[in-house]
Amino acid sequence: ETGVTQTPRHLVMGMTNKKSLKCEQHLGHNAMYWYKQSAKKPLELMFVYSLEERVENNSVPSRFSPECPNSSHLFLHLHTLQPEDSALYLCASSQTSGGSYNEQFFGPGTRLTVL
Amino acid sequence: GQNIDQPTEMTATEGAIVQINCTYQTSGFNGLFWYQQHAGEAPTFLSYNVLDGLEEKGRFSSFLSRSKGYSYLLLKELQMKDSASYLCAVVDSNYQLIWGAGTKLIIKP
């Protein structure tokens, strides 16, 4: 595997379910990100981890819970979601979490549908 | 507030040239990225500008004017595979990436 991988690619869940999204990066990067991408809207940064510590949480509802057990893996735990949470969830990684030239490498995303 | 503006959608013809504009109002500026995203796929890096002027990379070029808060992505010799969304993102004074909503480019034969 190379780059950034995400599983599952598609997920349909009910509002009472609990599920987790997984992201893995094979680039030796120190920072990882979760984004939400909705149609015709800018990417919304949800969480940033640098060296396994959360450095940013952009007022995300508590029904989204991130976990970063090591610098290569990132999870997003989901519970009691709402239909408006349906979106593409993208994971990204970069060498560091700061600096001006900080190219982010993205995974293919998980298309989430909440019924 | 911080704002990135891009056209929602553009259409161009195979073999032609298209320019996708991006204007921004942000708290500070530390560089501007362009990413390409094919439907159902990951965004991929195209270019980075931090100084004024034109950066050329094959069929793609990116231009920046910091005084005008303006950038454009120029695509030449368009191919069908260039049909995608193009995302503009600015690094602000806190080194946070501020994203535009993207421009969907449709290429017609």
Side-chain angles (χ1 to χ4, degrees), chain A residues 11-26:
Chain A
L11 178 62
V12 179
M13 59 187 290
M15 290 190 283
T16 58
N17 292 155
K18 289 185 180 181
K19 297 286 184 183
S20 295
L21 310 184
K22 179 183 176 182
C23 175
E24 184 173 0
Q25 58 98 358
H26 310 268

Side-chain angles (χ1 to χ4, degrees), chain A residues 9 35 37 40-43 45 56 88 90 97-108, chain B residues 8 30-31 33 35 37 40-45 48 50 87 91 95-97 99-102:
Chain A
R9 293 293 310 274
Y35 284 94
Q37 187 175 35
K40 300 184 179 180
K41 288 186 177 180
L43 285 176
L45 180 64
E56 185 131 358
L88 182 67
L90 290 165
S97 62
S100 53
Y101 183 74
N102 194 19
E103 180 186 345
Q104 294 183 16
F105 294 77
F106 286 83
Chain B
T8 303
N30 281 299
F33 287 89
Y35 279 79
Q37 185 179 22
E41 296 184 14
T44 55
F45 170 82
Y48 172 76
V50 67
L87 312 179
V91 185
Y95 298 103
Q96 300 298 309
L97 263 182
W99 293 86

Side-chain angles (χ1 to χ4, degrees), chain B residues 5-108:
Chain B
D5 285 315
Q6 308 178 232
T8 303
E9 188 173 299
M10 299 181 70
T11 302
T13 304
E14 191 177 15
I17 299 173
V18 71
Q19 178 176 310
I20 302 174
N21 296 326
C22 171
T23 58
Y24 60 88
Q25 300 90 39
T26 56
S27 57
F29 178 85
N30 281 299
L32 185 145
F33 287 89
W34 283 97
Y35 279 79
Q36 180 190 59
Q37 185 179 22
H38 285 101
E41 296 184 14
T44 55
F45 170 82
L46 284 178
S47 67
Y48 172 76
N49 295 67
V50 67
L51 299 177
D52 289 350
L54 188 68
E55 296 274 347
E56 297 187 75
K57 194 185 293 186
R59 294 189 298 114
F60 292 11
S61 302
S62 56
F63 172 84
L64 175 67
S65 169
R66 288 172 296 171
S67 63
K68 295 182 179 179
Y70 168 68
S71 172
Y72 67 72
L73 183 68
L74 191 70
L75 290 73
K76 302 177 184 177
E77 302 168 16
L78 286 170
Q79 302 175 9
M80 297 303 292
K81 67 178 182 179
D82 298 329
S83 293
S85 288
Y86 292 85
L87 312 179
C88 173
V90 171
V91 185
D92 72 6
S93 56
N94 293 319
Y95 298 103
Q96 300 298 309
L97 263 182
I98 311 300
W99 293 86
T103 298
K104 182 178 180 180
L105 177 64
I106 300 168
I107 310 297
K108 295 187 174 179

Side-chain angles (χ1 to χ4, degrees), chain A residues 71-89:
Chain A
S71 60
S72 298
H73 293 86
L74 186 65
F75 294 89
L76 188 64
H77 303 300
L78 317 171
H79 66 99
T80 59
L81 294 191
Q82 306 297 312
E84 59 264 29
D85 296 323
S86 298
L88 182 67
Y89 288 84

